[in-house]
Amino acid sequence: MKIAHVRADAINAPVDFRIAGVRRESQRAACRFGIGTDSGGPGHGPAWIAVEEAIGAIVAGIAAPA
């Protein structure tokens, strides 16, 4: 079985919340990645690291087919 394709999607979602009556704004960042094989087997998973674009590039660069 060989890796046929890799996909990495950067996700950045705004989050609003209140603490002690004070409104705060923040963001939650992640990278969702998927890998497909030449035999049709899929795989996917999250990477919860603050720099989602960097993780996407790393996943695509390391796991991409040669």
Side-chain angles (χ1 to χ4, degrees), residues 7-62:
R7 179 179 176 149
D9 299 309
I11 302 167
N12 194 335
V15 178
D16 294 333
F17 56 95
R18 290 188 178 273
I19 296 178
V22 178
R23 182 174 177 247
R24 303 281 184 182
E25 295 181 13
S26 185
Q27 296 179 8
R28 299 296 284 171
C31 180
R32 180 186 176 278
F33 62 91
I35 298 172
T37 65
D38 59 354
S39 65
H44 63 275
W48 297 99
I49 298 179
V51 186
E52 66 280 3
E53 290 89 358
I55 297 304
I58 291 168
V59 168
I62 292 173

